[in-house]
Amino acid sequence: SRTIWIFASDHGESFGEHQTHGHAYNVFTQVLHVPLIIRFPFSLDAPAVRVQVRNLDIAPTVLDLARIPVPESFQGESLLPLIEDPGSASDRINFAELGPPSMPGAVEQVSVNDGSWAMVRTLGDPGREYLFDRQLDPAENVDLVDIDPGEADRMREVLDAHLALETIAETLDS
């Protein structure tokens, strides 16, 4: 068979974390962290890749496997280099956004997660930022935004740079 099987999900679920249940209320890691399993149509003698990747990496991976050039407009990157050399793999930065709330109790938020740290920014009034050390606190129980201002500034810069790129792209598309 020449079939590639890909198992992924578009969102996780919150089971009481951050006082919510479900997935359309915020962009904390509980609703963003999902499995990604790829079964290739050939024998693969490589260990599982244990770093953070993104769903937007799936399409470039499939194109790469088919030896089809990945369009420049794609934001994702092929996972094949990580699969070929898992020891050199590093976490890929993930951005998320929840637009105007469609559910009662939902909040408009943006986030960045670099695999080690996650920052969530609630938009609107009142705006608020949260910072979590994902290595020490994977459940995101302890907000460090005021405790570690250096890391908060670093993650804020990454998030702001991404949001500025999105604004430029939206302007160009208009």
Side-chain angles (χ1 to χ4, degrees), residues 57-110:
D57 296 326
I58 295 171
T61 303
V62 172
L63 292 175
D64 197 9
L65 278 167
R67 298 187 184 354
I68 297 172
V70 177
E72 286 186 29
S73 61
F74 279 35
Q75 292 180 22
E77 303 170 61
S78 174
L79 298 172
L80 290 189
L82 305 184
I83 295 164
E84 292 166 356
D85 186 9
S88 69
S90 60
D91 292 310
R92 294 185 176 180
I93 295 176
N94 180 45
F95 298 95
E97 182 174 348
L98 181 63
S102 60
M103 306 279 285
V107 291
E108 190 170 358
Q109 289 183 326
V110 293

Side-chain angles (χ1 to χ4, degrees), residues 6 101 108 119:
I6 300 174
E108 190 170 358
M119 174 172 268

Side-chain angles (χ1 to χ4, degrees), residues 88-158:
S88 69
S90 60
D91 292 310
R92 294 185 176 180
I93 295 176
N94 180 45
F95 298 95
E97 182 174 348
L98 181 63
S102 60
M103 306 279 285
V107 291
E108 190 170 358
Q109 289 183 326
V110 293
S111 71
V112 59
N113 182 327
D114 68 5
S116 298
W117 291 86
M119 174 172 268
V120 175
R121 180 182 296 159
T122 300
L123 304 175
D125 186 25
R128 184 166 193 292
E129 290 180 331
Y130 304 83
L131 178 71
F132 303 101
D133 182 337
R134 300 274 308 133
Q135 303 300 309
L136 297 175
D137 180 23
E140 297 180 348
N141 291 314
V142 181
D143 178 13
L144 301 174
V145 76
D146 294 325
I147 297 168
D148 194 336
E151 197 59 46
D153 285 344
R154 183 184 74 81
M155 292 298 284
R156 190 176 293 117
E157 285 178 21
V158 173

